[in-house]
Amino acid sequence: SQISDTETSGDRHWPRQNSLSLREWDIPFHELELGDPIGQGRFGTVHRGIWHGDVAVRLLNMDQIGDEKVLESFKLEVATFRKTRHENLVLFMGACMNLPTLALVTSMCKGLTLYTHLHLRKDKFSMNKTVIIAQQISQGMGYLHARGIIHKDLKSKNIFLENGKVIITDFGLFSVSKLCKIHGRSDALSIPPGWLCYMAPEVMRSLKPSSEENDELPFTMASDAYAFGTVWYELLCGEWPYKEHCPEAMIWQIGRGMKQSLANLQASRDLKDILMACWAFNVKDRAEFSKLLKILERLPKKRLLRSPSHPVHLSRSAES
Ligand code: ATP
Ligand code: MG
């Protein structure tokens, strides 16, 4: 973000002001030992790798080989990543900043994602643990926001649990992704399952029918808070909101400010209030992470301690 000085020094590839510090984060691709792919996401493939120990390598497939402008934008994003030092954020180790192979290198998360815990393994966390997880997410997110970084893709798939500790990944990746070709991109808007429910109404309303036009969605810190609301909902009941709705219905309803009914969610008022603080329709009414953290810390300890092994769950008995 500070790479504004285009005055070139001896080396035209590195903007002068940042050349030294940014170059320190450059990892020559040949130094990486690339291992098996871990998985493929919307934004390219993540591989196991070895670089002074275990690392995760995200390869960005560039289609415009040799495009210097793309490279400059990539470096700008990298300049942002190196500002992130918090124990609840994945450790950014460096990047391969030479075309045609651009890659981001981070520490390897050893645990499972919140998505795997909640949706695949159907794990139930105690209320106590649920609150601790939410606090740690808020702490990491509060830090990002304090540094002026918007995550843009906060979701349970991008939150790891490592020995009970939250590690948030993929912040700012959405911005990098627009630089590279997304596999299978076409004229039709392809919506990956479980993406829409994290999208704030104002972002939802900006969705365009074709994927190519969706590079500039109006993400803000408030839209990150909305996404956190959805993660909190998943933590509370192990499901995504709107799970029985088709994408078209979700876009229409969420865009107009309708919310997932909480009638069947068996949780106390204060737990539901957190949802409402995150899912507020008006951007101005949405809570900031510093405030969410305070609310989470103030949840009555007694109740949490009394039934540590009783997770809240969906129940037909109407309470609300
Ligand atoms: P989506 O494509 O919807 O964003 P995703 O977050 O699962 O989903 P990627 O972020 O591309 O997709 O990740 C691909 C795979 O690599 C996933 O299984 C993810 O859990 C894993 N992964 C990503 N980053 C790391 C990391 N730092 N350590 C360990 N595994 C990782
Ligand atoms: Mg991810």
Side-chain angles (χ1 to χ4, degrees):
S1 48
Q2 312 101 311
I3 307 185
S4 51
D5 189 357
T6 46
E7 201 185 320
T8 46
S9 56
D11 185 346
R12 70 184 183 90
H13 295 285
W14 299 93
R16 190 183 185 186
Q17 206 172 18
N18 256 329
S19 65
L20 263 182
S21 47
L22 195 52
R23 205 181 306 203
E24 281 175 38
W25 298 92
D26 189 35
I27 299 176
F29 191 65
H30 66 84
E31 281 188 14
L32 280 177
E33 240 178 83
L34 204 62
D36 296 335
I38 305 172
Q40 171 121 32
R42 272 176 300 159
F43 307 142
T45 316
V46 178
H47 287 255
R48 279 171 214 292
I50 297 178
W51 187 73
H52 305 287
D54 291 337
V55 291
V57 183
R58 180 180 295 276
L59 293 178
L60 306 169
N61 294 325
M62 309 308 296
D63 56 339
Q64 303 125 308
I65 292 174
D67 189 333
E68 292 287 327
K69 252 210 212 133
V70 168
L71 185 59
E72 281 314 309
S73 320
F74 180 70
K75 286 179 181 171
L76 219 102
E77 296 301 333
V78 170
T80 307
F81 292 141
R82 61 189 181 151
K83 291 197 299 183
T84 56
R85 295 164 160 270
H86 189 278
E87 63 171 337
N88 297 119
L89 300 180
V90 74
L91 180 68
F92 171 71
M93 296 181 73
C96 302
M97 292 183 258
N98 294 295
L99 290 166
T101 315
L102 302 187
L104 290 168
V105 182
T106 63
S107 62
M108 178 77 190
C109 300
K110 294 276 154 57
L112 302 174
T113 62
L114 215 47
Y115 162 80
T116 303
H117 277 294
L118 296 172
H119 299 279
L120 302 183
R121 296 170 41 136
K122 309 277 177 203
D123 290 340
K124 302 266 183 255
F125 297 122
S126 69
M127 201 54 231
N128 211 4
K129 187 154 182 203
T130 297
V131 172
I132 290 171
I133 291 171
Q135 283 175 353
Q136 292 187 12
I137 299 170
S138 305
Q139 237 144 21
M141 290 301 299
Y143 171 91
L144 275 184
H145 286 182
R147 307 228 105 193
I149 300 168
I150 303 170
H151 190 304
K152 302 185 183 178
D153 200 19
L154 182 65
K155 56 181 183 179
S156 54
K157 280 187 178 181
N158 288 337
I159 300 168
F160 281 81
L161 271 189
E162 221 174 78
N163 300 321
K165 190 164 124 183
V166 162
I167 308 281
I168 302 171
T169 65
D170 293 353
F171 31 89
L173 202 63
F174 201 89
S175 311
V176 171
S177 74
K178 71 180 178 209
L179 304 171
C180 54
K181 192 179 164 65
I182 294 177
H183 197 68
R185 214 162 153 168
S186 71
D187 287 344
L189 173 60
S190 65
I191 296 167
W195 181 45
L196 283 178
C197 58
Y198 297 100
M199 200 169 270
E202 69 277 7
V203 181
M204 196 75 84
R205 286 198 302 275
S206 308
L207 272 179
K208 298 277 156 39
S210 113
S211 303
E212 256 125 297
E213 296 168 279
N214 285 319
D215 287 346
E216 302 288 345
L217 291 172
F219 293 107
T220 56
M221 293 181 190
S223 65
D224 276 352
Y226 184 95
F228 173 79
T230 300
V231 174
W232 178 241
Y233 181 88
E234 291 174 83
L235 279 166
L236 290 184
C237 66
E239 286 169 354
W240 277 307
Y242 293 98
K243 92 181 153 117
E244 267 127 39
H245 293 66
C246 63
E248 290 81 0
M250 284 175 70
I251 293 174
W252 172 247
Q253 292 184 4
I254 299 172
R256 296 177 71 215
M258 281 163 79
K259 293 186 185 75
Q260 161 74 40
S261 156
L262 303 182
N264 292 330
L265 178 64
Q266 209 178 62
S268 62
R269 187 79 263 159
D270 43 3
L271 300 182
K272 291 185 182 183
D273 282 346
I274 296 176
L275 276 177
M276 291 303 114
C278 298
W279 281 350
F281 181 75
N282 286 321
V283 170
K284 280 191 208 128
D285 298 335
R286 242 171 262 156
E288 292 178 3
F289 279 97
S290 49
K291 181 167 175 217
L292 289 168
L293 190 59
K294 277 195 192 116
I295 298 175
L296 287 162
E297 281 167 354
R298 273 194 219 127
L299 287 175
K301 297 269 178 337
K302 244 200 256 154
R303 179 174 48 73
L304 300 180
L305 289 174
R306 217 185 297 144
S307 54
S309 58
H310 279 279
V312 277
H313 53 276
L314 269 182
S315 130
R316 289 280 142 202
S317 69
E319 182 252 15
S320 182

